[in-house]
Amino acid sequence: MKFLGQPVQRFANVDSTNAVARRLAERRAPEGTCIVAETQSAGRGRLGREWHSPPGGLWLSVVLRPKLAARDIGKLSLVAGVAATEAIREVVRLPAMTKWPNDVVVAGKKVCGVLVEGRWQGETADFLVAGIGINVAIDLAALPPDVRATAGTLLEPRDPADALAVREALLGSLLKKLETSYRRFLSGGFSGILEKARLYSDTLGRQVVAAGSDARIQGTAVGIASDAALIVRTPSGDVRVVSGDVTIRGVSGGYSG
Ligand code: BT5
């Protein structure tokens, strides 16, 4: 690896690795700085949602400094989601899938979430923080019942030594894959990442309900466009969903995230 994880800063507990990375980035931390914590007391998801971060997970954030327009942030989320999917496949050998826009699921259960945040100067990113949370070996009973219903863990948290080894292997694999995809993305190779996103997609071909800020769209997810938008086929035509939450219909318990 050339820069991702140079350095890795480890903490026992932080409020949120994204918040720590942001504070460091504001003080000019170099691109590639990576924050890893054992637990987070205020782990966050999108739209102010909470990300539960008990021991046994891999909670990390990296500082990135791409020349990126605000409208392209969704692409970077996809880059990180695909990297996490591939790392899980490689290290744990489970059939991880990417659920648009930012989740990784195994057997329909959310095992990983991605949160990309940025500071903007006009329309361009000053810096970005890509946060990735993976439930490596967490005790699902530690989650509130509504979250537990849709969450999964890669391993049972029975053997702490084993779990620690898997976490370290996942960290190494994830940083490598993220760096490769990110470089590819910066050099104009987003279409290759899109191909993977489509290949690993748990969403395409499914009946979905997409709830954005101002509309609720119901139909079949038929594509991921070149700007990372989800294309949903409805009786009145194809609709582009740029952000928001997607629920896959027909999955027991209904699943959104
Ligand atoms: C996400 O948001 O999925 C992004 C999560 C990013 C977490 C990482 S951890 C390292 C870094 N530091 C941070 O502070 N954050 C990042 P969203 O799509 O909004 O999903 C949030 C929803 O997922 C919650 O409302 C819950 O329903 C569910 N959830 C919360 N904790 C979970 C967990 N550990 N496992 C599975 N689902 C969870």
Side-chain angles (χ1 to χ4, degrees):
M1 261 171 302
K2 297 276 168 22
F3 71 95
L4 265 198
Q6 308 286 345
V8 175
Q9 293 192 26
R10 292 171 186 271
F11 297 87
N13 178 261
V14 295
D15 48 357
S16 147
T17 55
N18 266 33
V20 174
R22 184 184 188 100
R23 293 195 284 269
L24 290 174
E26 281 166 354
R27 283 185 262 131
R28 302 208 175 80
E31 175 164 70
T33 300
C34 173
I35 308 300
V36 180
E38 299 283 311
T39 56
Q40 303 183 106
S41 51
R44 55 194 193 216
R46 294 175 305 148
L47 309 167
R49 288 188 286 231
E50 194 178 347
W51 181 260
H52 299 275
S53 318
L58 177 60
W59 321 125
L60 75 99
S61 300
V62 294
V63 175
L64 300 173
R65 298 185 178 280
K67 292 206 176 353
L68 190 78
R71 63 173 180 281
D72 286 336
I73 194 166
K75 292 185 185 171
L76 199 65
S77 220
L78 216 67
V79 168
V82 167
T85 304
E86 291 195 317
I88 293 170
R89 284 176 169 250
E90 178 178 278
V91 173
V92 198
R93 307 215 167 271
L94 286 171
M97 309 285 279
T98 313
K99 178 171 173 286
W100 193 94
N102 69 320
D103 297 347
V104 181
V105 298
V106 171
K109 298 284 190 184
K110 178 164 175 171
V111 295
C112 166
V114 172
L115 175 66
V116 180
E117 299 177 296
R119 189 172 78 179
W120 305 92
Q121 294 223 324
E123 266 299 290
T124 325
D126 186 7
F127 63 78
L128 294 177
V129 169
I132 301 175
I134 305 181
N135 299 340
V136 180
I138 66 163
D139 181 5
L140 293 174
L143 303 176
D146 59 322
V147 178
R148 199 187 308 151
T150 58
T153 178
L154 298 178
L155 309 172
E156 292 300 324
R158 277 192 209 106
D159 182 348
D162 228 25
L164 187 64
V166 171
R167 239 162 62 204
E168 287 308 304
L170 261 174
L171 174 64
S173 169
L174 180 57
L175 290 177
K176 244 191 225 147
K177 294 197 181 296
L178 192 56
E179 176 156 337
T180 307
S181 304
Y182 176 65
R183 283 176 182 278
R184 208 166 161 190
F185 168 59
L186 291 184
S187 57
F190 186 62
S191 61
I193 292 151
L194 258 178
E195 253 169 59
K196 288 185 174 184
R198 292 177 183 133
L199 180 73
Y200 298 135
S201 179
D202 182 54
T203 314
L204 294 182
R206 311 281 289 266
Q207 291 294 311
V208 298
V209 179
S213 48
D214 51 12
R216 204 178 122 90
I217 295 143
Q218 199 162 315
T220 310
V222 291
I224 301 173
S226 57
D227 62 352
L230 184 71
I231 312 292
V232 178
R233 185 150 296 162
T234 75
S236 45
D238 287 358
V239 180
R240 285 164 40 82
V241 180
V242 182
S243 65
D245 287 312
V246 164
T247 307
I248 294 177
R249 298 175 70 214
V251 173
S252 66
Y255 169 64
S256 92

